[in-house]
């Protein structure tokens, strides 16, 4: 009799844990989609905005080079810091940092403010790169160790991302007819909401390592 009671309790614990992982996974998916489409508002009009500040093609190339260099060189170090210290914290800082940077970007008056904005975007985006995927993989594998759920979730994310990006690009283009700066500043919203959602994502892997 005690064996069956123990077995039932063990099943209840497993079901409860899977429910927690499922909730965590859903939160991560929402945060991932929000933060991956945020910049879409400004994609259709960013060149027009740069031109309005008096930037030429050489200036634009230089600005884009700075962003690329920063995000490429910081990607691996930030990943190490996230794994070594606190993935959740870096994810939150990264999302909110990007949100605030877009607000600053919207008020840019010259090329130097654009350079600062692109540099900050590179730094904060590097903080969150890979963190969402590691959260998704960890939680998905805890629910389905075969790896099929992880692949299924990624397929859904990419599908939703393309659809949502197209929608926000259309919205951004519409907003830009009235105000170019607003089309850039509105990117603050999805990233800030994503940062708030990130507060509620638990890093269970970190807790397990801490206990160990």
């Amino acid at each position: 009799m005690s064996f069956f009671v123990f077995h039932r309790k063990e099943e209840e614990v497993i079901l409860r844990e899977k429910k927690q992982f499922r909730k965590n996974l859903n939160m991560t998916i929402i945060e991932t989609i929000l933060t991956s489409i945020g910049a879409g508002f400004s994609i259709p009009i960013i060149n027009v905005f740069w031109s309005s500040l008096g930037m030429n093609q050489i200036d634009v190339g230089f600005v884009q080079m700075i962003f690329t260099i920063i995000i490429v060189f910081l990607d691996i170090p930030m990943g190490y810091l996230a794994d070594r210290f606190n993935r959740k914290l870096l994810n939150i800082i990264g999302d909110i940092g990007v949100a605030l940077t877009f607000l600053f970007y919207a008020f840019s008056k010259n090329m130097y403010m654009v350079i600062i904005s692109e540099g900050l975007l590179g730094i904060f985006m590097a903080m969150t790169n890979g963190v969402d995927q590691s959260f998704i993989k960890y939680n998905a594998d805890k629910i389905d160790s075969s790896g099929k759920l992880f692949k299924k979730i990624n397929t859904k994310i990419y599908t939703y991302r393309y659809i949502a990006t197209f929608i926000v690009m259309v919205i951004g283009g519409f907003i830009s007819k009235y105000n170019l700066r607003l089309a850039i500043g509105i990117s603050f919203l999805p990233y800030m909401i994503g940062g708030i959602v990130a507060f509620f994502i638990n890093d269970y892997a970190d807790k397990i390592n801490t206990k160990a």
Side-chain angles (χ1 to χ4, degrees):
M1 187 69 176
S2 60
F3 169 78
F4 292 108
V5 172
F6 174 77
H7 185 66
R8 187 174 62 187
K9 287 184 176 180
E10 189 177 25
E11 286 183 340
E12 289 176 353
V13 170
I14 293 173
L15 288 173
R16 187 163 58 248
E17 287 181 347
K18 283 192 174 183
K19 187 177 180 181
Q20 290 177 335
F21 289 127
R22 173 68 67 176
K23 180 181 178 182
N24 212 42
L25 179 60
N26 289 336
M27 296 291 284
T28 308
I29 291 171
I30 293 171
E31 186 260 346
T32 300
I33 293 174
L34 282 169
T35 56
S36 62
I37 66 171
F41 289 104
S42 59
I43 289 176
I45 54 88
I46 192 65
N47 282 308
V48 178
F49 179 71
W50 288 334
S51 296
S52 71
L53 297 179
M55 295 172 59
N56 56 38
Q57 289 301 312
I58 295 176
D59 297 332
V60 170
F62 179 70
V63 166
Q64 291 180 326
M65 179 187 69
I66 289 176
F67 171 80
T68 303
I69 289 174
I70 290 176
I71 201 165
V72 167
F73 278 91
L74 289 183
D75 195 41
I76 294 177
M78 286 297 183
Y80 171 78
L81 287 175
D83 292 333
R84 182 69 179 82
F85 297 101
N86 194 312
R87 292 186 298 178
K88 177 177 178 176
L89 180 61
L90 253 69
N91 202 28
I92 294 170
I93 294 173
D95 289 348
I96 295 178
V98 172
L100 296 175
T101 300
F102 269 113
L103 276 185
F104 177 80
Y105 209 142
F107 289 98
S108 294
K109 301 291 186 181
N110 49 54
M111 177 181 167
Y112 301 107
M113 293 182 72
V114 172
I115 290 174
I116 293 172
S117 299
E118 289 287 341
L120 289 173
L121 285 177
I123 293 171
F124 290 125
M125 285 182 177
M127 285 185 180
T128 61
N129 276 358
V131 174
D132 290 337
Q133 271 294 299
S134 65
F135 279 156
I136 290 171
K137 180 167 177 55
Y138 181 82
N139 287 282
D141 287 349
K142 284 296 180 179
I143 298 170
D144 176 18
S145 58
S146 68
K148 292 181 180 179
L149 179 61
F150 174 65
K151 293 179 181 178
K152 183 179 178 181
I153 291 295
N154 268 331
T155 301
K156 285 186 176 181
I157 288 175
Y158 284 118
T159 302
Y160 294 151
R161 180 185 292 169
Y162 286 130
I163 296 172
T165 300
F166 174 76
I167 293 172
V168 299
M169 284 176 64
V170 172
I171 295 173
F174 178 77
I175 293 174
S176 67
K177 289 184 177 181
Y178 301 94
N179 194 311
L180 277 176
R181 295 182 183 277
L182 180 59
I184 295 174
I186 198 172
S187 292
F188 164 86
L189 290 176
Y191 279 102
M192 180 56 72
I193 295 172
I196 293 171
V197 172
F199 271 103
F200 300 96
I201 298 174
N202 292 306
D203 189 354
Y204 292 117
D206 182 60
K207 292 180 180 179
I208 291 173
N209 291 334
T210 301
K211 289 181 180 178

